[in-house]
């Protein structure tokens, strides 16, 4: 009857990549089958503090297990300068669906990073060419590491090209991963010519041109998570086989939100939601496909599925700090 408190290190230690990828895949499938409850993300705007809170609740029934939880995440743009705190922080509350007992309070920032990489791996497995061996990364932040870790579980990546506005950060990424892959710093055109590409930047003006992308490249568009953000040019999106994690979220705040609002893209341009591809209701990559794009905004069911992985493994290992929240 106790609640388990898990910090970032514990979440990282007890979220093996393969297990998280499998859990996120199950979450996509449950969502496509209609076996989830996932209210829209709600916002608490705090303009006096240059920030906001977002709540992301969800329940999913994966068949042989179910799970529920709530991610509470902030975005305070002045945190670094004013308070020496991260701009974005997240906390995951993981609960037992049957009783409502709060099973765990865990770091949600590390959890988010890992489930985002896992979602790209699920998409890559369905949409990239089977013999993909090269990965291009546009952006060399924390998410770039999660993308590489997860995509390595579904494709035999041998070569990585990373492009970043900060050359020192790109060089640090190469140094960190060179024991696993042949990695080098390159330009954006060099990165997006690879078999698989993940873009993880916060830009509002597209930095990936259609002319630079490989003829059969798969792109995981991860960076756009709010209205106005936009990494890939409209011509690329219009020509690609376009798969989204959730139609409503993507048209509002995903990679396609800008051209969709402008009427450059319509519902007819969206091939499918990824969950329908996972369960076989829609096609993934076919021999006739050229460029494919996965628009990833992040779903609360992914957080809940990943949290279950962490909780089950941490509990079995006796990790974290257990406390009696109910006072019984």
């Amino acid at each position: 009857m106790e609640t388990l408190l898990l910090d970032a290190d514990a979440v990282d230690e007890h979220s093996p990549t393969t297990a998280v990828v499998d859990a996120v895949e199950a979450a996509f499938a449950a969502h496509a089958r209609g076996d989830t409850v996932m209210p829209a993300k709600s916002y608490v705007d705090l303009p006096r503090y240059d920030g906001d809170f977002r709540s992301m609740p969800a329940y999913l029934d994966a068949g042989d297990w179910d799970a529920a939880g709530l991610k509470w995440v902030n975005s305070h743009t002045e945190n670094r300068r004013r308070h020496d705190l991260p701009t974005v922080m997240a906390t995951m509350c993981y609960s037992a669906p049957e009783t409502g007992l709060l099973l765990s309070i865990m770091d949600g920032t590390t959890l988010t990073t890992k489930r985002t990489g896992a979602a790209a791996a699920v998409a890559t497995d369905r949409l990239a060419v089977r013999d993909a061996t090269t990965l291009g990364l546009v952006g060399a932040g924390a998410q770039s590491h999660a993308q590489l870790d997860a995509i390595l579980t579904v494709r035999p990546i041998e070569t990585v090209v990373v492009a970043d506005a900060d050359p020192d950060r790109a060089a640090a990424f190469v140094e960190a991963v060179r024991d696993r892959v042949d990695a080098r710093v390159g330009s954006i055109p060099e990165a997006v010519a690879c078999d698989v590409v993940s873009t993880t930047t916060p830009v509002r003006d597209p930095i990936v041109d259609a002319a630079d992308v490989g003829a059969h490249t798969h792109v995981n568009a991860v960076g756009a998570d709010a209205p106005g953000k936009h990494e890939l040019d409209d011509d690329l999106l219009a020509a690609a086989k376009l798969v989204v994690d959730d139609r409503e979220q993507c048209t509002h705040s995903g990679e396609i939100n800008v051209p969709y609002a402008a009427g450059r893209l319509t519902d007819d341009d969206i091939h499918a939601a990824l969950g329908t591809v996972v369960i076989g209701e829609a096609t993934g990559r076919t021999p006739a496909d050229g460029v494919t794009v996965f628009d990833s905004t992040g779903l609360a069911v992914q957080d809940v599925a990943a949290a279950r992985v962490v909780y089950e493994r941490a509990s079995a290992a006796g990790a974290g700090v257990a406390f009696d929240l109910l006072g019984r």
Side-chain angles (χ1 to χ4, degrees):
M1 301 294 289
E2 292 185 315
T3 300
L4 193 60
L5 183 63
L6 298 168
D7 63 12
D9 288 340
V11 171
D12 185 43
E13 181 178 353
H14 297 288
S15 55
T17 302
T18 299
V20 176
V21 171
D22 289 344
V24 168
E25 181 177 67
F28 275 119
H31 191 43
R33 293 193 306 266
D35 293 332
T36 62
V37 180
M38 190 176 67
K41 184 188 302 184
S42 62
Y43 290 79
V44 178
D45 291 318
L46 301 170
R48 67 182 292 184
Y49 299 119
D50 296 307
D52 64 63
F53 289 108
R54 302 110 186 253
S55 63
M56 298 175 64
Y59 164 80
L60 73 144
D61 180 357
D64 54 348
W65 56 268
D66 65 350
L70 165 72
K71 188 168 75 174
W72 181 245
V73 57
N74 78 294
S75 178
H76 285 63
T77 57
E78 295 296 314
N79 261 6
R80 289 287 185 192
R81 183 177 66 84
R82 294 177 182 173
H83 308 293
D84 193 29
L85 287 170
T87 300
V88 177
M89 295 173 282
T91 301
M92 186 71 195
C93 298
Y94 178 68
S95 299
E98 182 178 3
T99 64
L101 179 67
L102 183 60
L103 298 173
S104 180
I105 301 171
M106 67 181 72
D107 169 59
T109 305
T110 302
L111 190 79
T112 301
T113 299
K114 292 215 166 185
R115 64 83 154 143
T116 303
V122 175
T124 299
D125 195 32
R126 298 310 195 282
L127 297 170
V129 294
R130 298 306 306 177
D131 58 350
T133 59
T134 60
L135 171 65
L137 296 170
V138 180
Q143 185 52 225
S144 62
H145 292 271
Q147 292 289 311
L148 174 60
D149 291 345
I151 290 169
L152 278 171
T153 69
V154 297
R155 288 295 185 275
I157 300 299
E158 299 172 356
T159 302
V160 175
V161 181
V162 60
D164 193 278
D166 182 342
D168 291 336
R169 185 163 62 178
F173 175 88
V174 168
E175 185 62 29
V177 304
R178 67 187 332 151
D179 62 326
R180 292 186 293 158
V181 291
D182 178 15
R184 66 178 179 87
V185 177
S187 65
I188 292 176
E190 290 173 320
V192 302
C194 292
D195 298 326
V196 181
V197 174
S198 291
T199 61
T200 61
T201 72
V203 299
R204 291 178 175 268
D205 294 314
I207 55 176
V208 177
D209 293 330
D212 296 326
V213 177
H216 300 283
T217 292
H218 168 64
V219 182
N220 297 301
V222 178
D225 60 357
K229 291 187 176 181
H230 192 18
E231 296 182 289
L232 315 181
D233 75 29
D234 292 353
D235 290 340
L236 173 58
L237 291 170
K241 185 173 191 174
L242 182 58
V243 174
V244 298
D245 60 7
D246 181 85
R247 285 177 182 260
E248 183 175 353
Q249 282 194 190
C250 288
T251 54
H252 176 264
S253 58
E255 177 57 37
I256 65 173
N257 83 91
V258 174
Y260 187 88
R264 179 73 171 83
L265 293 178
T266 70
D267 290 337
D268 291 340
D269 294 304
I270 300 172
H271 169 67
L274 181 57
T276 64
V277 178
V278 170
I279 66 174
E281 287 186 356
T283 59
R285 175 167 285 278
T286 68
D289 290 331
V291 175
T292 55
V293 171
F294 171 54
D295 187 350
S296 174
T297 58
L299 306 181
V301 290
Q302 298 168 5
D303 296 307
V304 172
R308 178 181 180 273
V309 171
V310 174
Y311 174 73
E312 295 291 335
R313 283 164 170 72
S315 296
V321 177
F323 63 99
D324 185 359
L325 185 65
L326 300 180
R328 293 166 60 108

